[in-house]
Amino acid sequence: MASSIVDASSSGAVPATGNLERPAALSSLVVSNITQAQSDPPSATSETTIPLKTNDSEYGPAPFDEDSDGDCIIKASDGVKYKLYRAILRLASSVWKDMFDMPQPYPIGAEGSAEAPDLPFIELSEPSTTLLPLFRLLYPIPKDQIPTFDLAHVLVLTYDKYDIDVGTLVPYLADLLSEPSFQKHPLEAYGLAWRLKKGAVVEAASRYLHRVDLEKKETKDKLLHHSGDFGSLLALHELRYRRELALDDFISGLPLESFRCTYHVNLSATEAKNLRASVRKALGIARPRCWDL
């Protein structure tokens, strides 16, 4: 690709002191620089050599590409287009069903697009990073687990927006709602389970939040972001309170005399208090074992 070289002397700016002749040495230097620029490969960091991406003509990957037999075109907010079957979208979403029952606009030639003029053309407010995984989940093709909580959060909101059964999404959230995920991201897992109304998963994830400071603003903000409901915070406080009561009942029934060493005939009040605190701390983990005491 030839670089576009603009000579500063061709801008039309004329010195106020009249016509000045360019020195011969300077002229030869300019000619040399132009010749060198034309022969050298353009730099990868040069703005003039980086082609701009034309989203208006970009299609998503198969089976949503331009060669698809789909009978409608959906355009994402970032310009990526998908050729899809209306029947699949209508079955999945009552919103899209009603949308396709109404007269649809068609692509106009002013865009320079090559779409068939008889295909409905719909622009959505979601970007391709949301629509592509959504369409893959709706189509009868092999599917992967949702890899991140952020994507899961966006997909759940999109399912709600278009009235898609969120229950069909749950099988692909199994990795995020598993025990290893609770250990690494307990707050996000708890929030996602709450949003999906998975009570058993909510309680399981809450075990890993027993030592999290719920009074911190960033903790509250993150929880509300993923759960979408202030009730999730109240429920977490309630679950923690119930667990504290259970710990108190358990510790109060411990035979503390069994923990005495040979140098102590009786435990003092302070020693008993410290022992109970140690037991409480040991039991504060998600799934305590007997040797944790």
Side-chain angles (χ1 to χ4, degrees), residues 203-220:
E203 291 195 14
S206 72
R207 289 174 171 266
Y208 293 87
L209 294 169
H210 195 66
R211 295 179 179 176
V212 174
D213 185 359
L214 299 182
E215 299 305 319
K216 282 188 175 181
K217 184 180 183 300
E218 54 267 29
T219 301
K220 295 178 181 179

Side-chain angles (χ1 to χ4, degrees), residues 91-145:
L91 287 173
S93 164
S94 62
V95 174
W96 281 329
K97 180 179 182 299
D98 294 340
M99 189 183 300
F100 287 124
D101 287 341
M102 296 185 294
Q104 299 299 319
Y106 296 93
I108 57 178
E111 292 185 355
S113 58
E115 289 89 18
D118 57 340
L119 298 185
F121 188 85
I122 301 173
E123 296 189 38
L124 300 182
S125 59
E126 289 78 19
S128 58
T129 52
T130 298
L131 293 182
L132 180 57
L134 173 65
F135 295 148
R136 281 175 171 163
L137 288 167
L138 298 181
Y139 258 56
I141 58 177
K143 301 169 179 58
D144 297 322
Q145 287 285 306

Side-chain angles (χ1 to χ4, degrees), residues 248-271:
D248 285 341
D249 291 341
F250 177 79
I251 293 172
S252 63
L254 286 177
L256 296 181
E257 62 277 3
S258 301
F259 292 86
R260 291 180 301 177
C261 66
T262 57
Y263 298 100
H264 294 82
V265 178
N266 296 310
L267 291 174
S268 66
T270 301
E271 290 171 333

Side-chain angles (χ1 to χ4, degrees), residues 156-289:
V156 171
L157 293 180
T158 307
Y159 269 59
D160 288 342
K161 175 180 177 180
Y162 292 106
D163 194 27
I164 304 172
D165 181 10
V166 75
T168 61
L169 177 63
V170 172
Y172 308 105
L173 300 172
D175 287 353
L176 296 179
L177 298 177
S178 64
E179 199 84 11
S181 180
F182 297 161
Q183 296 173 10
K184 294 180 180 178
H185 309 285
L187 207 61
E188 293 87 341
Y190 174 88
L192 179 59
W194 178 271
R195 189 182 284 274
L196 296 172
K197 298 179 174 60
K198 296 293 181 182
V201 183
V202 167
E203 291 195 14
S206 72
R207 289 174 171 266
Y208 293 87
L209 294 169
H210 195 66
R211 295 179 179 176
V212 174
D213 185 359
L214 299 182
E215 299 305 319
K216 282 188 175 181
K217 184 180 183 300
E218 54 267 29
T219 301
K220 295 178 181 179
D221 291 344
K222 181 183 287 189
L223 177 58
L224 294 177
H225 169 73
H226 287 282
S227 68
D229 185 358
F230 189 75
S232 64
L233 182 59
L234 298 178
L236 188 54
H237 277 289
E238 175 65 20
L239 288 168
R240 175 171 293 186
Y241 176 70
R242 284 161 44 190
R243 196 166 193 227
E244 291 284 349
L245 291 180
L247 285 175
D248 285 341
D249 291 341
F250 177 79
I251 293 172
S252 63
L254 286 177
L256 296 181
E257 62 277 3
S258 301
F259 292 86
R260 291 180 301 177
C261 66
T262 57
Y263 298 100
H264 294 82
V265 178
N266 296 310
L267 291 174
S268 66
T270 301
E271 290 171 333
K273 180 181 178 180
N274 292 339
L275 183 56
R276 286 191 175 92
S278 298
V279 173
R280 172 181 287 279
K281 183 178 180 181
L283 294 176
I285 63 176
R287 299 194 180 279
R289 298 159 296 184

